[in-house]
Amino acid sequence: MDERVWHGSTVDETFDALESSQSGLSSDEANRRLDKYGPNTIRESDVISPVWIFLHQFKSPLIYILLVAFVITIAIDHYVDAIVIAIILGINAVIGFVQEYRAENAMAALASLVTPKARVRRDGDVSRIDSTDLAPGDIVLLESGDIVPADLRLVRTTELQLNTAILTGESVPVSRSTDPVAPEHTVVDRRNMAYMGTSVASGRGVGVVVATGEDSQIGTIAGQVRETERAATPLQTRIHRFGNRITVAILAISVVLFAIGLWQAIPIADIFLLAVATAVSAIPEGLPVVMTVALAVSIRRMAGRNAIIRRLPAVETLGSCSVIVSDKTGTLTENRMTVQQLWTADGFVDVTGDGNSGVGAFSQTDGGISIETGSPLDETLIAGVLASEASLDESDDGTLEGVGDPTETALLVAGKKAGHDQRELTQAYPQVGHLPFESDRRYTASAHLVDDSAVTYVKGAPERVVEMCDTSLTSTGREPLDSEEVLTKADELAGDGLRVIGMARGGGDLTGTEDPGGLTFLGFAGMIDPPRSGVPEAIAACDRAGIQVKMVTGDHASTARAISKQVGIESEGVLTGQEVAELSDEELTERLRETAVFARISPAQKHRIVTVLQADGEIVAVTGDGVNDAPALKAAHIGAAMGITGTDVAKEASEMILTDDNFATIYAAVEEGRTVFSNIRKATMFLLSTGIALVLAILAAFFFAIVGVLPRDEAGLFPLLLVPAQALWLNVVNNGIQDVALAFEPGEREQYERPPHRPDAGLLSRRLLERTVAVGIWLAVLALAVFWYEFTNGVTLGYAQTAALTTMVVSMALFLGTCRSESRSVVEKSPFSNPILLGGTLTALVSI
């Protein structure tokens, strides 16, 4: 069934298409359809076998070379070398296995959104059934607190409001109706639909099932999650490319050695041993260990900055991130509606203070103001408090928690800032009548006894409240109302992205009047979900670091525009979901390069934005909290889910969880990501220089033996500068101690203010590679000179090898200091700023 039909069809057309009615299906017909369409469940992904995950750790060119070296050393009876190589292979496999062994629970979390029971009308009677037994055409009854069990086309609503945040990201409950909407409307604007997994905030409704299981919106998202492969992290790509290049170099050297060995009639066993020694010298065996330690250190640091990392490679990805696609609600903003501005006949008034505290101030352009009893401002705030169905709970520390509609709780907080406590007001002015809000009426009213006379306070949509008024309260009393002029003030507030509510009052109990008139207009309240503290600074820091921030929200364009200005996101306009749908991928790519704010975006469009950015060469991080975000979170190079408001689905699809739901935490994680990449780069330079030195020295010793500069050993064989076990000991044990200590190197300020590394950039920059090669050559010359001097002066081969090894150890310890920074001199870095490195160097020297 084409889901797009339902929101664009009338109720009668929907029933005709489904061959159903208000009385529901018969049990027999429901069972027949259940057989046809299948149960109302979400299929879970297959779990990857732990054995397969373990075997996958050996899928690497560098590992292939070590495996061949292991087989060769056994074949030529060098068992000590074989055991050492086997230990290195085992350590690498275990580290990789621990990193990857995490079951993908996103599908299980999606499946949990299917509510166990549903109230349906079958055979003309209402009963509760397992929601898995729902079929298209079933009639489902909804009431406050229910979880929607399937995708429904609503056929009857009574003040129905749904919490749709998990699908649309909207921060407040949205009203539902039965009227058809345009077929091109996205999920966000389909006001006549109730989707599986959303919940009923208030009211009641009746809907006919139009999609179940895999055909539902949740099912569609589940399919996208299953089909979406995690993007390879930049570090994984660089390591793979680095490994391939070393592999090619080792194979090329081995071929040359074999050719020369056969030409010189050298015994095959000698050639094999030389090839093995060269291979294990060239491979940076300690790199997997140091990578894991560096990532683990950063994970611990990030946890202290409110970011929990679920997958190790994700740490470094943040350091390479070039674009952050962020939600608005709850990430850039507080997820709490807050009154920021009021307007009365006395002018505009700014309101300070946050939305969870009764502490704040009121001011105009010429400074702070005091609120006089009976003034338009005072009466406006009182109306907002009394004409309310919400309430506030205050904790011991003074934090206010709203119960009810977020718009109403924002007015209660604003009133409290002016000294109007809801409980105290209702005790002083007892309620004698109440008219609840209805979407058709567009206002609510509450009558109270004020000085023994009934007064009705009205709160609602600006134009609806104004049309019921004929006078306006001013500082000198009531005056005739100029409706057009007053409504222009509401437009000014709305133009700043504020949600505007109008307040009025009238004499007597008007709650029983269907359409009261003759009211006195009091004022407007403009509210918004304000930016979080620290977010503008974090976005400015991202800009300095060359990272683009793009805001994607299901909210309206005016609200998105207002928030983007407040947090400092610069954009060439706002791109809406409807406009995105009309663009080709090529056109969207161009718009993405200049647009940073997106409104009324559907889940599929957010996923598309991420993939188009990736296709354009960007390293993308995505934040999200709802079910709708899961495909985009998984497709991104790194997904960051909200720890407080995030759904289990979002968390399981992500690599990182923000425990404070704050965008500023993302930038803090970016700093740690850049630090870990810098430290891995330093460690790679340190290890690679050793490898280059060993390979050059071993090959030089071989060629010197061929031309007669070096004599043969006691057995008449060609001398090896180091045996494989010594090369492994130097790479893994001695250098490994110092290499791992580099993982604890603190970050440097300059690395946070340079552009992110290009995705196609190598593990080492050109400058670092030149430094690595130069140091490698110098170390090779030193080691070879000591080996030649000792061996030509009559000592045993073993003694000469030990002398060469000692030279390498001491030289590498001295070189380590220059590896601590890419841009600073060794004398600018205190040896005590990384005590673990200082201890590791001393340990390496003692272990000679």
Side-chain angles (χ1 to χ4, degrees), residues 293-489:
V293 172
L295 295 172
V297 168
S298 285
I299 284 178
R300 180 176 57 80
R301 289 173 177 169
M302 286 184 181
R305 302 178 77 172
N306 299 316
I308 304 299
I309 301 297
R310 300 180 67 244
R311 295 178 179 85
L312 277 180
V315 178
E316 183 276 333
T317 307
L318 282 162
S320 302
C321 173
S322 59
V323 176
I324 299 175
V325 177
S326 176
D327 271 357
K328 175 185 72 67
T329 305
T331 308
L332 297 175
T333 65
E334 294 180 353
N335 195 22
R336 185 187 298 271
M337 295 297 286
T338 304
V339 175
Q340 289 195 332
Q341 203 167 39
L342 296 157
W343 183 86
T344 68
D346 292 338
F348 287 100
V349 175
D350 295 324
V351 185
T352 63
D354 57 35
N356 61 358
S357 169
V359 179
F362 299 82
S363 64
Q364 292 182 310
T365 54
D366 55 352
I369 61 172
S370 60
I371 301 176
E372 297 181 3
T373 302
S375 68
L377 179 58
D378 187 54
E379 287 294 304
T380 298
L381 292 166
I382 289 175
V385 174
L386 292 178
S388 177
E389 297 179 57
S391 62
L392 292 177
D393 289 336
E394 186 169 358
S395 63
D396 293 337
D397 62 359
T399 300
L400 300 176
E401 286 295 334
V403 179
D405 184 85
T407 299
E408 293 193 329
T409 59
L411 290 169
L412 294 180
V413 173
K416 196 169 181 65
K417 291 175 181 177
H420 295 311
D421 181 80
Q422 185 185 30
R423 292 184 179 89
E424 294 176 357
L425 274 182
T426 52
Q427 287 175 359
Y429 308 131
Q431 188 180 62
V432 295
H434 178 67
L435 185 66
F437 179 87
E438 290 188 5
S439 55
D440 293 337
R441 189 182 298 123
R442 301 174 65 205
Y443 73 89
T444 184
S446 183
H448 295 261
L449 285 178
V450 180
D451 296 331
D452 297 326
S453 298
V455 175
T456 299
Y457 291 95
V458 175
K459 167 176 64 68
E463 61 276 11
R464 184 71 180 97
V465 171
V466 169
E467 73 180 15
M468 293 189 290
C469 300
D470 57 15
T471 60
S472 174
L473 184 66
T474 70
S475 57
T476 59
R478 291 191 299 173
E479 295 184 2
L481 176 69
D482 185 339
S483 299
E484 290 187 6
E485 181 183 355
V486 168
L487 288 176
T488 59
K489 304 303 180 183

Side-chain angles (χ1 to χ4, degrees), residues 358-660:
V359 179
F362 299 82
S363 64
Q364 292 182 310
T365 54
D366 55 352
I369 61 172
S370 60
I371 301 176
E372 297 181 3
T373 302
S375 68
L377 179 58
D378 187 54
E379 287 294 304
T380 298
L381 292 166
I382 289 175
V385 174
L386 292 178
S388 177
E389 297 179 57
S391 62
L392 292 177
D393 289 336
E394 186 169 358
S395 63
D396 293 337
D397 62 359
T399 300
L400 300 176
E401 286 295 334
V403 179
D405 184 85
T407 299
E408 293 193 329
T409 59
L411 290 169
L412 294 180
V413 173
K416 196 169 181 65
K417 291 175 181 177
H420 295 311
D421 181 80
Q422 185 185 30
R423 292 184 179 89
E424 294 176 357
L425 274 182
T426 52
Q427 287 175 359
Y429 308 131
Q431 188 180 62
V432 295
H434 178 67
L435 185 66
F437 179 87
E438 290 188 5
S439 55
D440 293 337
R441 189 182 298 123
R442 301 174 65 205
Y443 73 89
T444 184
S446 183
H448 295 261
L449 285 178
V450 180
D451 296 331
D452 297 326
S453 298
V455 175
T456 299
Y457 291 95
V458 175
K459 167 176 64 68
E463 61 276 11
R464 184 71 180 97
V465 171
V466 169
E467 73 180 15
M468 293 189 290
C469 300
D470 57 15
T471 60
S472 174
L473 184 66
T474 70
S475 57
T476 59
R478 291 191 299 173
E479 295 184 2
L481 176 69
D482 185 339
S483 299
E484 290 187 6
E485 181 183 355
V486 168
L487 288 176
T488 59
K489 304 303 180 183
D491 291 340
E492 287 184 41
L493 292 170
D496 291 332
L498 301 178
R499 184 175 186 179
V500 185
I501 303 295
M503 265 72 74
R505 74 180 186 192
D509 182 357
L510 305 177
T511 56
T513 305
E514 186 61 32
D515 194 12
L519 303 183
T520 298
F521 175 76
L522 301 175
F524 294 124
M527 62 191 68
I528 198 170
D529 180 13
R532 281 180 174 271
S533 174
V535 166
E537 293 80 5
I539 289 176
C542 285
D543 185 61
R544 291 193 298 272
I547 302 171
Q548 306 173 56
V549 179
K550 298 186 184 296
M551 183 175 75
V552 177
T553 179
D555 235 326
H556 293 279
S558 58
T559 304
R561 186 182 298 108
I563 291 296
S564 68
K565 289 181 180 178
Q566 292 184 38
V567 300
I569 297 177
E570 297 183 1
S571 175
E572 293 290 332
V574 178
L575 201 60
T576 65
Q578 188 169 344
E579 292 170 324
V580 169
E582 296 170 355
L583 298 175
S584 66
D585 283 354
E586 292 75 17
E587 292 170 329
L588 181 57
T589 299
E590 291 299 321
R591 294 297 299 273
L592 282 168
R593 291 171 181 166
E594 60 189 26
T595 305
V597 182
F598 302 83
R600 310 303 282 173
I601 296 296
S602 70
Q605 289 171 336
K606 184 173 184 178
H607 181 261
R608 183 186 174 205
I609 287 171
V610 171
T611 56
V612 168
L613 284 168
Q614 290 174 321
D616 198 32
E618 305 288 359
I619 301 298
V620 184
V622 173
T623 73
D625 57 2
V627 173
N628 58 319
D629 297 315
L633 287 168
K634 188 174 181 181
H637 292 96
I638 180 165
M642 303 298 106
I644 299 173
T645 60
T647 61
D648 290 341
V649 180
K651 293 174 184 176
E652 294 299 337
S654 301
E655 288 80 12
M656 180 172 72
I657 297 174
L658 309 180
T659 59
D660 59 355

Side-chain angles (χ1 to χ4, degrees), residues 40-44 105-118 131-132 134 145-151 163-168 195-200 213 216-222 225 625-631 645-651:
N40 182 33
T41 58
I42 304 298
R43 181 170 65 86
E44 298 185 26
N105 295 319
M107 305 311 302
L110 277 167
S112 70
L113 292 175
V114 181
T115 185
K117 296 288 184 179
S131 63
T132 56
L134 286 174
D146 284 350
I147 303 295
V148 179
D151 285 1
N163 287 315
T164 63
I166 64 169
L167 273 181
T168 65
Y195 290 108
M196 178 193 290
T198 60
S199 61
V200 180
S216 66
Q217 278 292 318
I218 293 294
T220 301
I221 292 172
V225 172
D625 57 2
V627 173
N628 58 319
D629 297 315
T645 60
T647 61
D648 290 341
V649 180
K651 293 174 184 176

